[in-house]
Amino acid sequence: MASKRIGKSAINWTALSERVPEHQRAQYLAFKSKSDGYLRRVLANPEQAPPIDWAFYKQKVPVAGMVDDFQKQYSALSIPYPADTVSSQIDAQEREIKSDIQKFKTESDARIAEYKKQLAHIAGLIPYDQMTMEDYRDAYPEDALDPINRPTFWPHTPEEQIDYVHKDAQESSH
């Protein structure tokens, strides 16, 4: 027999409702109404089955020993409650997911810190409309024109350079 009686729903419906996307609201409400209906039906029944009045049946049943036999079989009847074999697996999976979430948070915090550094660097730059070519070279040395160390041909686009390989040619060679 079950070890405890369900007293109320174990689901935090308010917290769950906040996470449901708007396009799935109808399915969520249908699921919640089914769950509430099931809980109402369970709570409508008594916690224990009503006791059987064996003396009443002994008086009414004419076959001798039949009620005693039924009573003996009924008291010997034991309906086993299934053993919980998956809770440990679920708990292990939950711990694994929590560690993955913590790892993601840590990685995200590191990315956020790096992005904040980049934003601070960009905020500290001279506005583009006030930059000279030298200011641009100092701020973005990898993108600036460098005619001495990296000469390029006009119009200075990657497609016009001697060592340029077209993307389609690059993909077909692999």
Side-chain angles (χ1 to χ4, degrees):
M1 193 148 213
S3 60
K4 67 177 184 173
R5 179 168 171 89
I6 299 171
K8 64 176 186 160
S9 177
I11 299 170
N12 184 350
W13 291 105
T14 307
L16 185 60
S17 173
E18 293 170 356
R19 290 176 173 80
V20 174
E22 197 57 43
H23 68 279
Q24 293 180 344
R25 181 74 49 190
Q27 291 125 329
Y28 163 75
L29 292 173
F31 172 71
K32 183 177 182 319
S33 68
K34 282 184 182 180
S35 177
D36 290 345
Y38 173 75
L39 184 62
R40 277 192 299 277
R41 286 194 311 272
V42 167
L43 294 177
N45 294 322
E47 187 171 347
Q48 297 291 330
I52 298 174
D53 185 6
W54 296 108
F56 171 78
Y57 288 109
K58 286 180 184 176
Q59 292 174 357
K60 299 293 181 181
V61 175
V63 180
M66 182 180 202
V67 175
D68 292 331
D69 189 36
F70 281 156
Q71 184 178 7
K72 185 172 73 169
Q73 290 178 13
Y74 182 79
S75 61
L77 178 66
S78 173
I79 300 172
Y81 191 72
D84 184 8
T85 58
V86 294
S87 284
S88 60
Q89 295 170 355
I90 292 171
D91 292 341
Q93 189 177 21
E94 182 181 9
R95 284 190 299 276
E96 179 181 329
I97 289 171
K98 282 185 178 180
S99 69
D100 289 347
I101 290 171
Q102 193 59 41
K103 178 182 171 193
F104 178 76
K105 282 182 175 180
T106 306
E107 291 171 354
S108 294
D109 289 341
R111 284 192 302 272
I112 289 169
E114 180 62 32
Y115 295 150
K116 284 184 179 180
K117 286 181 191 174
Q118 292 175 7
L119 283 173
H121 172 71
I122 291 170
L125 292 176
I126 300 170
Y128 287 115
D129 59 350
Q130 297 174 11
M131 269 189 188
T132 63
M133 290 300 284
E134 289 81 14
D135 292 334
Y136 185 82
R137 184 199 61 222
D138 292 342
Y140 301 101
E142 66 279 351
D143 294 335
L145 295 176
D146 185 1
I148 296 172
N149 299 321
R150 293 181 295 149
T152 58
F153 294 102
W154 187 88
H156 308 289
T157 59
E159 295 85 13
E160 299 299 326
Q161 305 313 308
I162 294 174
D163 58 349
Y164 177 74
V165 178
H166 196 272
K167 288 181 183 177
D168 294 337
Q170 204 175 28
E171 290 174 4
S172 63
S173 66
H174 289 284

